[in-house]
Amino acid sequence: MAMNPESGLPDEQREKVSRRTFIKGASAVAAVGVVQIPGAAAGIDKAGVEPDILGPGPVSIRLRVNRSDLDVEAPPSTTLLDLLRDHHGLTGTKRVCDRGSCGACTVLIDGRVVDSCSMLAIDAIGSEITTIEGIGTPENLSDLQQAFIETDALQCGFCTPGMVVSCTALLEQNPSPDRDQIRQGIAGNICRCGTYQNVIEAVEYASRKGGK
Ligand code: FES
Ligand code: FES
């Protein structure tokens, strides 16, 4: 049987101990909803300074959303999706799977496509967040939103805000994407109604018009 020279335990037993210890520690943090600030995962940083612990009670969170500063008091365990929907009333961003697999909750963080259900709101502090409400309004639709209507690129519409956000980011980076590039651009967005073909046509329509 292989023995570990540091612990003096058989390798197999040492593995079990480390896993149990890790799970115990992780569960304690999850159970009370506290968050260690970034860089503090090891408990004490290299200079021997104890990390700040945020929570579990509410803390002040200022986010830059759609070119405005929004302030709220919320637990640091609040996801960006919950903060946008429940605290700021930005319900265009949808919650479907709530686990980072469907793309319904897509927003832009400094121009990058992000699933807001899988990010803590406090991790978005200092970034420019754009939601579907920041892309266009019913009175002033973006070219791409207009294209979704023209090409009939939605059925139930539940995936549509996330699709529009992803396609907006795509056209920002590549104003003339080909069909494969459009498919890649929406690869993280699931449409249960199957509107993919019309979404591709909407992007091409907006692209031909030189818009986004
Ligand atoms: S709700 Fe966020 S990815 Fe599905
Ligand atoms: S239009 Fe219904 S899920 Fe996409």
Side-chain angles (χ1 to χ4, degrees), residues 96-98 100-103 105 115 117:
V96 178
C97 70
D98 213 11
S101 65
C102 75
C105 63
D115 290 335
C117 70

Side-chain angles (χ1 to χ4, degrees), residues 25 80 91 94 100 206 208:
L80 179 57
T91 53
K94 302 301 182 202
R208 275 198 304 276

